[in-house]
Amino acid sequence: MSGTPGSSPDMWEERIAELRAAVRRAAASGDRETARSLRTELRAAEQAWDEAVLGGDPAADAPVPPRAERGVPVESAGARERDGGAARGLVPVREQVHQALTLLGVPAAPKLIGAVHGAFFPGEIPATRLTSLRRDEERSFRSAPYARPYYLCAALTADLLAPARGLLTVSTWPLRQRVVGPLSARVDFLTAAIRVAERAEHTDTGRDAGVQRLLWRFAATIPGAADGTVGTDGAVVPAVVAEAARAELAVHSEADGRDRAAAARRAADVLDDAALLFGGGLRVLPRRTGTGGGAGAGTDHDRTTGAGVSPDDTTNRRRR
């Protein structure tokens, strides 16, 4: 393997791709000890990429050297990883975001992502680290498409197929799950409430302060959900929140599903691979100048349209 990369994000990405391939080879050959050691180096490289791209506290986020350099036996370190006791510094921000989004299962804003991760997983996601995350993911994809198992990408608006402001998704989700239409905000809110409530109900975290705050956040705007308080501490019963959310979700889910499916089909027809993950953006096209007295007559005007909305425009764009 090559030597230690420099501080450039591109160099770290090359190192990460190299280590991932090495981990797969070691696992395929049955060399579990080498695979575990390489996995630790991979996590350190991913953390170093986070630091190089997103910045932060160098003391808190500095990459951890490989086990051999730290004098840590491979087996004991591997046991800590299997038990979930690995140092938080080895978990990149993008992986923390992925954990929260996987729990939610719907496009979500950074504030909700941070609240969910803080309630159910160790550590917290610094809000400042999320600001440029999607942009950095897009840059990584465009420089080396599909080099990573997943990308944190944008939700796509159903009308313009443009990136929905402030909503993150996971690239491995079905396209219709990453599209948002007129009813999707409410549908996704209710779906997230159900998944959070089910997670709280089936683990021992339901009474934790962070989880309770999250449940109250959902229950406050779902009819009937706030009625599930018990005792003097006013704790929310997760099962009541889930039941109330399912009742309202049944009203909206069918119409929202139709909108999303139609938008997903249109996106698959007109967008390239990068635009399917990060949005087609908006394009400004000149409007033809009319000579008569009908609509469009007079001076030229610009109009803004979503990428891929016009099939003719899409064909011309691909030819160029």
Side-chain angles (χ1 to χ4, degrees):
M1 289 182 289
S2 61
T4 302
S7 59
S8 166
D10 292 337
M11 295 181 68
W12 279 116
E13 287 171 6
E14 293 177 5
R15 177 61 171 165
I16 288 170
E18 177 185 331
L19 285 169
R20 284 196 175 123
V23 170
R24 287 194 297 268
R25 287 195 299 269
S29 66
D31 189 351
R32 298 178 61 85
E33 181 175 329
T34 300
R36 284 193 294 267
S37 179
L38 290 168
R39 178 59 178 165
T40 296
E41 293 187 51
L42 173 59
R43 287 180 175 271
E46 288 174 335
Q47 178 62 31
W49 179 91
D50 272 352
E51 178 63 32
V53 172
L54 303 177
D57 182 3
D61 294 325
V64 178
R67 292 174 191 156
E69 295 180 19
R70 290 181 280 136
V72 179
V74 172
E75 288 301 324
S76 62
R80 285 200 303 274
E81 287 182 6
R82 291 191 297 271
D83 295 338
R88 293 300 300 166
L90 292 179
V91 181
V93 170
R94 69 187 303 270
E95 189 170 325
Q96 293 175 306
V97 174
H98 183 260
Q99 288 176 325
L101 283 172
T102 300
L103 191 157
L104 290 168
V106 294
K111 186 175 181 180
L112 178 58
I113 292 171
V116 169
H117 189 277
F120 291 103
F121 301 98
E124 296 182 357
I125 303 176
T128 54
R129 302 291 293 274
L130 294 175
T131 304
S132 60
L133 182 59
R134 190 200 63 79
R135 184 172 64 249
D136 295 327
E137 290 283 288
E138 180 175 1
R139 184 179 66 176
S140 174
F141 179 87
R142 291 185 182 277
S143 65
Y146 302 111
R148 298 176 174 180
Y150 67 85
Y151 291 85
L152 302 175
C153 54
L156 305 182
T157 59
D159 52 355
L160 300 179
L161 304 181
R165 184 176 179 84
L167 291 179
L168 289 174
T169 69
V170 182
S171 62
T172 54
W173 291 355
L175 183 54
R176 61 178 294 170
Q177 190 175 347
R178 297 188 284 107
V179 173
V180 291
L183 297 174
S184 298
R186 188 59 182 173
V187 167
D188 289 348
F189 179 86
L190 295 170
T191 303
I194 294 169
R195 293 178 67 99
V196 166
E198 289 177 342
R199 177 66 175 260
E201 185 179 9
H202 294 103
T203 64
D204 58 358
T205 60
R207 308 285 292 189
D208 291 353
V211 175
Q212 281 291 304
R213 284 194 298 269
L214 194 57
L215 288 172
W216 268 116
R217 178 176 174 178
F218 287 113
T221 59
I222 301 175
D227 298 337
T229 56
V230 296
T232 58
D233 58 355
V236 180
V237 178
V240 174
V241 176
E243 182 180 0
R246 290 191 192 98
E248 185 180 345
L249 183 61
V251 177
H252 307 298
S253 59
E254 185 175 353
D256 179 63
R258 287 196 301 267
D259 292 342
R260 285 177 135 154
R265 288 192 296 268
R266 183 159 53 91
D269 288 340
V270 301
L271 298 182
D272 61 21
D273 288 359
L276 283 172
L277 297 183
F278 301 99
L282 299 176
R283 303 185 66 189
V284 178
L285 302 177
R287 178 182 296 172
R288 292 181 179 178
T289 303
T291 56
T299 59
D300 288 347
H301 297 279
D302 286 342
R303 62 186 178 91
T304 303
T305 183
V309 172
S310 167
D312 293 337
D313 176 64
T314 302
T315 302
N316 293 335
R317 175 166 57 85
R318 285 184 171 173
R319 287 175 180 170
R320 293 195 294 271

